[in-house]
Amino acid sequence: MKLRDILAASVCGAVMAACAGNTTAVVNEKGLKDAVGDKFLIGTALNVWQSGGIDTSAIKIVKKHFNAIVAENCMKMEEVHPEEGVYDFKDADKFVNFGVDNGLTVTGHCLIWHSQCPAWFFLDDKGKTVTPEVLKQRMKEHITTVVTRYKGKIKGWDVVNEAIVEDGSYRKSKFYEILGEEFIPLAFQYAHEADPDVELYYNDYGMNVQGRRDAVVKMVKSLKERGLRIDAVGMQGHMGMDYPEIDEFEESMLAFASTGVKVMITEWEMSALPTVRRSANISDTVAFRKSLNPYPEALPDSVSKVWNERMAQFFSLFEKHADIVTRVTAWGVSDGDSWKNNFPVPGRKDYALLFDRDYQPKDFVKEIINK
Ligand code: G3I
C-alpha cells in the first residue's frame, strides 16, 4: 500500500471516529481568552520564532488562548534602527502581520528605552555626544518612521520604557543626560503627531515601589496638563515568590488610575526560583551558582502549589479592577521561552509563565478556564 493510501486511510479513520462521537477526537475546548471575556485583553509576548511562524506549538497556544500580542524584542530600537538612516523592519513586519492576520490586538514595544538603544543614537560623526537638538531630531525621525509604518495595525505603543528609578528620580540615561526630563513629553508628542489615533503608554517595572509610583503619577499628570496624549500606564508585572506585596501593587494600580489613565499589566510572569534581584533591568545580572538553580529537573508540587496560588491571587486582583485594567499580558508563551531562564542568573530553569514546557496550562489557568 502506497504512503498516500495509508495516510488517506488514517485520515478517514480519524474522521469516522470523530463522527462516531469518539471522545478522543479533539474538541474545541474554551481558551483563556474566552474565560476572560470582555473584562480585559489577555495577551502574550512573542519572540521571532513565534511571530515568524516557526514555533508552531507556541502559535497553537497563542491562537487558542490569547487575543493580544506584544513584540518581546523585534521592535526595539537596536533591532529596527541599527544604524543612522538604516531601518530593518523584517521581523517587526512579520510580528505585526501575524497579529493582523490572526485578528489579535497588537502592542508596539518600545519606542524610547535606555536599553537596547544603539550607541550611534547619541554620538556625532566625531564620536562626541550629540547636542540636544540633534537628539530631538533623531528621536523624532525614529518615532515618526516606526509609528507611521504601522498606522492602523497597532493599537498602542510603549512610548517610553523604564525612565524612572525606585527612589522616584529619573534614570540617568543618555536621553536624560542630554535632554533632561523633556525627552519624555517629546517622545509622547512625536508619537501622537505620527498617529493621532494610536494609544500611548508609559511602561515600567517595580511599579509597586512608592518612590517610583509617586514619580510616575506626577509625570502622567504633567503630560496631561501639557495637553499630551497618554492612555495608560504599563505595570510590567515581573514578579517573584516574595515580591511584590499584592496590596502595594493594588495601591499603585489605583494611584495610576486616579490620574485618569487606564492600567495595563504588560510583562507578567512570576519566577518560581529563589529571588536574587527584584530588578528587571537587564544589566543587573548575577553569576550562576547551583544553589540558585534548585529545580533543574522539575518544579516540586509543593512549590508549584504556592506559585499557582500566588498567580491566582494576582489574577483575581486584575479581575477585581477590570474597570481600570484594559490588558493583561504574559511576558512569553511557555516556561521554555521565558527570559527568566537566563535573568538575573544565566542558565537557570525557571517556571514563570502561564504554560509549561509541554505547552500545558498551569493549574491556576485551568481554574480560570473551567470556572
Ligand atoms: O538576537 C540576538 C542573537 O542574534 C544572538 O545570537 C543572541 C546571543 O547574544 O542574542 C540575541 O539577542 C538577545 C535578545 O534578547 C533576543 O533573544 C539579547 O542578547 C538579549 O539581551 C535580549 O534580552 C531581552 C531583554 O529584554 C533585553 O532586550 C529579553 O529577551 C526580553 O525578555 C527583555 O524584555 C524586557 C522588556 O523589553 C522591557 N522590560 C524588561 C524586560 C526584561 O528585561
Side-chain angles (χ1 to χ4, degrees), residues 72-73 76 109 113 116 161-162 236 267 280 282 331 339:
E72 183 177 14
N73 288 300
K76 289 171 177 172
H109 174 81
W113 186 29
Q116 312 316 111
N161 196 44
E162 303 172 14
Q236 291 184 7
E267 304 180 13
I282 194 72
W331 200 241
W339 74 296

Side-chain angles (χ1 to χ4, degrees), residues 171-191:
R171 184 182 298 275
K172 301 304 178 277
S173 67
K174 295 297 283 182
F175 289 106
Y176 182 81
E177 181 189 306
I178 299 166
L179 288 170
E181 300 173 20
E182 204 53 25
F183 84 92
I184 296 176
L186 283 171
F188 278 85
Q189 174 196 325
Y190 298 153

Side-chain angles (χ1 to χ4, degrees), residues 313-333:
Q313 284 168 359
F314 274 95
F315 194 83
S316 299
L317 177 68
F318 306 154
E319 289 183 304
K320 173 184 171 187
H321 295 293
D323 58 322
I324 59 173
V325 174
T326 54
R327 176 166 59 95
V328 174
T329 289
W331 200 241
V333 178

Side-chain angles (χ1 to χ4, degrees), residues 267-284:
E267 304 180 13
W268 193 32
E269 91 256 311
M270 185 177 292
S271 175
L273 305 182
T275 297
V276 175
R277 278 195 185 289
R278 297 190 171 201
S279 160
N281 193 19
I282 194 72
S283 52
D284 295 342

Side-chain angles (χ1 to χ4, degrees), residues 73-84:
N73 288 300
C74 69
M75 301 189 98
K76 289 171 177 172
M77 301 167 84
E78 71 175 7
E79 300 292 339
V80 297
H81 201 174
E83 294 169 45
E84 186 164 19

